[in-house]
Amino acid sequence: MTAYAIILAAGQGTRMKSKLYKVLHQVCGKSMVEHVLSQVKELEPDQIVTIVGHGSEKVKETLAGQTEFALQKEQLGTGHAVLQAEKILGQKQGLTIVVCGDTPLFKAATFKQLMAYHQKKRAVATILTAAAPDPTGYGRIIRDQTGDVAKIVEQKDATTQEAAVHEINTGVYCFDNRALFQALHQITNQNAQHEYYLTDVIEIFNRSKQTVAAYKMADFNESMGVNDRVALAQATALMRQRINRRLMENGVTLIDPQTTYIDADVQVGADTVIEPGVVLRGQTVIGRDCLIGAHSQISDSLLADHVTVTASYLEKAQMDYGSDIGPYSHLRPQAKIGPAVHIGNFVEVKKAQIGKGTKVGHLTYVGDATLGQHINVGCGCVFVNYDGVGKHHTNVGDYSFIGSASNMIAPLEIADHAYVAAGSTVTDDVAAHDMAIARGRQVNKKGYYDRYPVAQAAKKAAESEKSKK
Ligand code: UD1
Ligand code: CA
């Protein structure tokens, strides 16, 4: 069967009250139109045409390489939008599925059911409908006495009687491609919104006695159209439930799915436990047997198996097998944490590689550095990477020891088995098996305490304490 798909994504979305183009608003980390396109692609149509208009450059950029585009210069309605695909598809023979870019919850399986039903009915047009608990805002499916679809009436054009109908147009249709474009040339904009409605082709087909069918889907929620921010939040909540459910079915423990926020493309391995308040974003991939502790946020990062994250923030970072981090640490882009590495609390790592078994336990900044294996970095160390103009790199070799409160002034080479004494500010390279000590020698000055005002104050306090007794 030859099949084509048209995605409508040119409408302005005024009800969103946004400078961002409607179909680019995100639902669980992915724009609505990307959700739609990903499901349409599963149908493997011969061609996909996306209708773009306002902000078309951004939409094209988002969907580049996955669909053809047709420009709708003025947004004159959904019928006018589909007509913009005529140059590409108008002469083709086959079936065309039309989907809106603002219905992010549709599943490919539903589209497939619609297409199968359309073929079974040998219809020229098949409408995907649903029973809406509250049909406000949707086009209503008006059936005749025999139960066949007579027409679709938009909310704004509906009589009170029509408005009372709960069966709605989901905005998804299957058409005979040629018949679709022929009918589109006959629609007018004589309606409440002065728009060319795609939905008007139904009446046209009926007038010419061509078969119109309707396939009623079971789950109205899946068909939800997003026109404002309230619906955006509702769609996001439904999508989140779906994502969380899929992960749990695949063996991931979510302690509290209600407060676990995971983007659509995130992958998590079996037997990983995710605690409340966790946010997993973008293209994050998490292995098996990990523990993602409460209130951690992880974006576009790669975690191997047996990794533990405790209340930490990771972005574009990697953690290898058996490593752990937190609480309250921050991995920034290009942080590569090796296997069995321990990153403790209040540590920031940026553009740095940390080798197997190395420990960075407390209050440390590691930026632009390569640390080898089994190094111990003490508390409060700074890899001083920036001189006000450029960034410089530090290397630390295997089995070295960096004492607490040390500054490594880059560029710097500290070899294997080297030692940096606590409190050092290291400016020169350190050779293997050497120790660098770079700090002022301590001098104790006899009786100096009494010279300072603090001594007077202490004396007074002691006296007043005495008089109270
Ligand atoms: C549309 C349907 C309505 C259905 C609802 C389902 C029409 C006339 N109405 O109404 O029956 O119940 O969807 O969600 O079709 N668009 C364009 N160009 C335009 C206008 C719209 O590309 O000139 C695109 C929009 O970007 C959007 C889609 O078409 O993705 C639907 O447009 P929208 O204005 O949201 O239509 P609804 O009023 O929701
Ligand atoms: Ca809509």
Side-chain angles (χ1 to χ4, degrees):
M1 169 199 37
T2 318
Y4 309 97
I6 298 175
I7 300 174
L8 304 184
Q12 254 175 314
T14 36
R15 288 166 282 182
M16 294 298 283
K17 308 231 165 96
S18 175
K19 61 184 174 301
L20 184 67
Y21 197 48
K22 175 161 79 174
V23 297
L24 292 181
H25 277 266
Q26 296 206 333
V27 169
C28 297
K30 201 153 128 177
S31 68
M32 295 200 277
V33 70
E34 281 176 280
H35 279 291
V36 171
L37 180 57
S38 75
Q39 297 307 301
V40 166
K41 274 166 69 180
E42 284 190 29
L43 309 173
E44 297 177 356
D46 294 82
Q47 275 176 284
I48 304 173
V49 180
T50 301
I51 314 298
V52 294
H54 263 273
S56 59
E57 288 312 311
K58 269 214 144 165
V59 178
K60 280 180 165 176
E61 199 184 300
T62 308
L63 306 181
Q66 305 184 68
T67 165
E68 295 174 60
F69 297 100
L71 183 67
Q72 185 191 24
K73 286 196 195 103
E74 271 183 292
Q75 281 64 60
L76 302 179
T78 49
H80 179 258
V82 173
L83 204 48
Q84 308 312 305
E86 191 176 31
K87 260 193 205 144
I88 302 176
L89 299 179
Q91 296 311 312
K92 306 258 159 106
Q93 202 125 36
L95 168 165
T96 294
I97 180 163
V98 177
V99 189
C100 295
D102 64 350
T103 46
L105 294 163
F106 272 116
K107 295 180 190 164
T110 305
F111 296 155
K112 283 181 188 160
Q113 285 162 18
L114 171 72
M115 287 159 81
Y117 189 79
H118 175 81
Q119 286 175 308
K120 195 178 109 191
K121 287 282 163 184
R122 299 180 179 279
V124 71
T126 305
I127 309 154
L128 185 63
T129 77
D134 174 9
T136 311
Y138 290 96
R140 309 297 205 278
I141 304 296
I142 308 302
R143 292 177 181 266
D144 61 21
Q145 290 90 337
T146 60
D148 291 336
V149 177
K151 58 179 175 177
I152 301 173
V153 179
E154 290 307 296
Q155 166 95 28
K156 287 180 179 154
D157 302 292
T159 63
T160 327
Q161 211 183 356
E162 287 167 342
V165 171
H166 281 257
E167 188 181 5
I168 59 106
N169 169 26
T170 65
V172 181
Y173 324 79
C174 236
F175 293 108
D176 171 82
N177 185 67
R178 288 253 184 106
L180 168 64
F181 287 102
Q182 275 162 21
L184 280 174
H185 283 288
Q186 300 171 48
I187 62 174
T188 70
N189 64 350
Q190 265 135 53
N191 51 55
Q193 305 187 81
H194 302 292
E195 285 184 5
Y196 293 90
Y197 293 161
L198 171 59
T199 46
D200 283 356
V201 300
I202 300 304
E203 255 187 300
I204 292 166
F205 289 136
N206 276 327
R207 252 184 266 139
S208 58
K209 306 272 182 267
Q210 292 176 279
T211 310
V212 172
Y215 179 76
K216 195 166 174 180
M217 60 191 286
D219 179 13
F220 162 73
N221 282 338
E222 189 188 320
S223 77
M224 186 173 166
V226 173
N227 296 321
D228 59 28
R229 309 271 182 158
V230 175
L232 184 67
Q234 286 165 346
T236 300
L238 289 166
M239 183 68 81
R240 187 163 64 231
Q241 277 172 24
R242 192 187 287 177
I243 293 165
N244 288 354
R245 195 183 176 91
R246 170 177 47 88
L247 289 172
M248 291 187 283
E249 282 168 357
N250 289 334
V252 179
T253 294
L254 303 186
I255 303 291
D256 181 17
Q258 306 297 332
T259 60
T260 305
Y261 304 84
I262 303 179
D263 279 354
D265 291 341
V266 170
Q267 296 173 40
V268 185
D271 287 317
T272 284
V273 175
I274 301 180
E275 292 186 344
V278 166
V279 183
L280 304 178
R281 294 198 182 92
Q283 304 298 312
T284 294
V285 178
I286 295 176
R288 292 167 172 265
D289 299 295
C290 293
L291 173 62
I292 311 299
H295 304 295
S296 295
Q297 291 192 40
I298 305 179
S299 303
D300 301 312
S301 294
L302 209 61
L303 274 58
D305 300 342
H306 289 277
V307 169
T308 300
V309 177
T310 307
S312 289
Y313 192 100
L314 280 58
E315 38 176 339
K316 297 193 171 115
Q318 291 181 26
M319 290 183 72
D320 213 331
Y321 185 94
S323 57
D324 74 285
I325 186 169
Y328 316 120
S329 282
H330 186 182
L331 297 184
R332 291 172 49 206
Q334 296 179 55
K336 284 191 184 157
I337 309 303
V341 165
H342 167 65
I343 305 285
N345 50 166
F346 302 104
V347 174
E348 175 178 339
V349 182
K350 185 222 83 172
K351 204 176 182 185
Q353 212 168 327
I354 300 185
K356 184 177 170 185
T358 287
K359 293 185 170 70
V360 186
H362 336 266
L363 300 154
T364 288
Y365 173 64
V366 185
D368 297 283
T370 306
L371 274 58
Q373 303 185 2
H374 306 290
I375 294 165
N376 189 84
V377 177
C379 174
C381 293
V382 178
F383 284 73
V384 182
N385 57 335
Y386 185 51
D387 59 11
V389 182
K391 298 281 166 68
H392 304 284
H393 198 87
T394 294
N395 289 315
V396 181
D398 299 346
Y399 298 98
S400 288
F401 185 97
I402 310 292
S404 291
S406 292
N407 300 308
M408 273 51 69
I409 313 287
L412 188 67
E413 297 282 338
I414 297 174
D416 294 350
H417 300 278
Y419 204 104
V420 170
S424 290
T425 292
V426 185
T427 52
D428 300 334
D429 293 351
V430 185
H433 299 277
D434 285 0
M435 178 179 81
I437 178 159
R439 63 191 185 214
R441 185 166 282 282
Q442 180 173 334
V443 182
N444 290 353
K445 303 215 168 174
K446 212 157 178 61
Y448 260 51
Y449 180 84
D450 300 316
R451 289 188 173 194
Y452 293 100
V454 64
Q456 307 299 326
K459 212 168 151 192
K460 258 191 198 162
E463 274 162 13
S464 93
E465 200 62 14
K466 227 188 236 168
S467 67
K468 269 184 208 158
K469 281 178 191 162

